[in-house]
Amino acid sequence: MTQKKRALTGIRATGQLHLGNYLGAIREALRLQQEYECLYFIADLHSLTTNRNPEALREQSLDIAASWIAFGLDTDHHLLYRQSDLPQVTELAWYLSCVTGMGYLQKAHSYKDAVAQEKEVNHGVFSYPVLMAADILLYEPDLVPVGKDQKQHVEMSRNMAGSFNAAYGKEVLKIPEPKINEEVMTIPGLDGRKMSKSYDNTIPLFAPEKVMRKKVMSLTTDSTPLEAPKELDGSGVGDLFVHFASAEEYRDLKDRLAAGGLGWGHAKDELFQAIIRELQEPAKRYRELRGDEEQLRAVLRSGGERAHAIGQKVLAEVRTTVGIPAHPFS
Ligand code: ADP
Ligand code: TRP
C-alpha cells in the first residue's frame, strides 16, 4: 500500500471559534480526510503571545479539540493533538531561528500588524513564524491548508526549510505546499471587515440559536427601502449565504431581492436558517463531546503519541545535521 500524503494545520486556542475559522480553515481541512493523512493540532503555544489566562487557555484548547471532532475529524484514522504536548517543536524552532534573519522576520504580517496596532510586541510575536515553521517542518507534511491570512507564514516556513538545507548542504527538511481555498478567501464579519476575534465582529459557531440569530440579524446592510431592488452579490448577507446555500437557493434569493419588495431582514432570516441547517448537528455533538473531558484528553493523548513518533525521526536527523547527538545523552 502506498503511503498517503500528509496534510497538517493548526488553530490557535483563543476565544470562541467563529464562522470565519470554520469556512476559511476547518471545513476545507476536513475535506482532505479521504485523500490525506491529516495531522490537525491546537496551537496553544502560539496563543501565549497574547494569552495571560491559564484557565482560559486550558478550556479553549479543549473547545478546539471538541470542535474538530464535532465537525467530523475521524480521530481513528487521523491525528488530533495539542502542540504543547510535543516540546520537540520548540527545540526545532531554535535550530530554525539560527538560520533565519531578523530582517526577514520583520516582514511578517503578524509582526507588522502588532506594531501598527500598537499591541504588545514581545519576542513571541516576533518569532511567531519560526515556531509555526517548526510546527510544520517537524511532521513533514505535503500540504498545509490555511486561510489566506496565513499564507505568508507557510511561505516563510518553506524558506526556513530552504535556508536550513542550504546552510548544511543537505536536504533534511521537506518543503511543504500551502493550500489556500481561493473560493473562500476572507470571510467578512458583522461590520464588513474581516471576521476576527480581534474586531469583535464574529458569528460564533456554537452559540445558542437565539444568540446566533441576533448576531446574524445585526449584520450591517445598506438602508435601501423595502420596496427597492437589492443586490445580493457582494453584500454582507450574500458573502455568507453563498457558503451555506446551494447554487439554486442563492440564485433564488438573489432574484427575489432584485425584484424589490423583499427587505434585508428577510434575507438575513434565510441566511440564519441556512447556517443553522449546517451547524445544528455539529453543535449538538460539540456539546456532548465537551461534556466528557476525559474522553477528549484520551483522544489528544493518542494523537500526540502518534505525532511524537513522526517528529522524533525528523528531529534526530536535524540534531545530527547541526552537530548535536541524535538523542540527548547519547
Ligand atoms: P482570528 O482572526 O479570529 O484570531 P485566527 O487567526 O485564530 O482567527 O484564525 C484561525 C484560522 O481561521 C486561520 O487558518 C485563518 O486563516 C482562518 N480564518 C480566520 N478568520 C478568517 C476569515 N474571516 N476568513 C477566512 N478565514 C479565516
Ligand atoms: N498561525 C496559525 C493561525 O494564527 C495557527 C498555526 C500555528 C498554524 N501553527 C501552524 C497553521 C502550522 C498551520 C500550520 O491561525
Side-chain angles (χ1 to χ4, degrees), residues 26 28 69-70 86 97 142 193 226 248 287:
I26 299 176
E28 289 313 307
I69 307 172
L86 297 127
S97 283
D142 298 280
R193 291 188 293 172
L226 178 73
E248 249 170 50
R287 282 188 272 277

Side-chain angles (χ1 to χ4, degrees), residues 8-12 41 43 46 128 132 135-136 144 146 150 153:
L8 173 146
T9 198
I11 295 192
R12 258 171 0 128
F41 67 93
H46 272 111
Y128 189 99
M132 178 155 161
D135 283 332
I136 297 172
V144 182
V146 282
Q150 294 297 315
H153 286 152

Side-chain angles (χ1 to χ4, degrees), residues 213 216-217 237 264-274:
R213 185 162 202 288
V216 174
M217 297 316 277
V237 177
W264 282 120
H266 190 92
K268 288 183 201 176
D269 194 53
E270 291 190 27
L271 168 63
F272 168 70
Q273 299 300 340

Side-chain angles (χ1 to χ4, degrees), residues 69-80:
I69 307 172
F71 281 118
L73 180 65
D74 171 359
T75 53
D76 289 335
H77 298 99
H78 302 278
L79 283 62
L80 176 65

Side-chain angles (χ1 to χ4, degrees), residues 12 18 20-21 24-25 147 149-150 185-187 194-197:
R12 258 171 0 128
H18 53 74
N21 302 135
D149 60 329
Q150 294 297 315
M185 305 293 278
T186 300
I187 305 295
K194 175 198 159 188
M195 187 178 290
S196 171
K197 278 164 288 214

Side-chain angles (χ1 to χ4, degrees), residues 19 29 40 61 66 144 149 168 194 198 222 299 320 326 330:
L19 286 189
Y40 293 163
S61 298
V144 182
D149 60 329
Y168 292 97
K194 175 198 159 188
S198 345
D222 60 33
V299 169
T320 319
S330 59

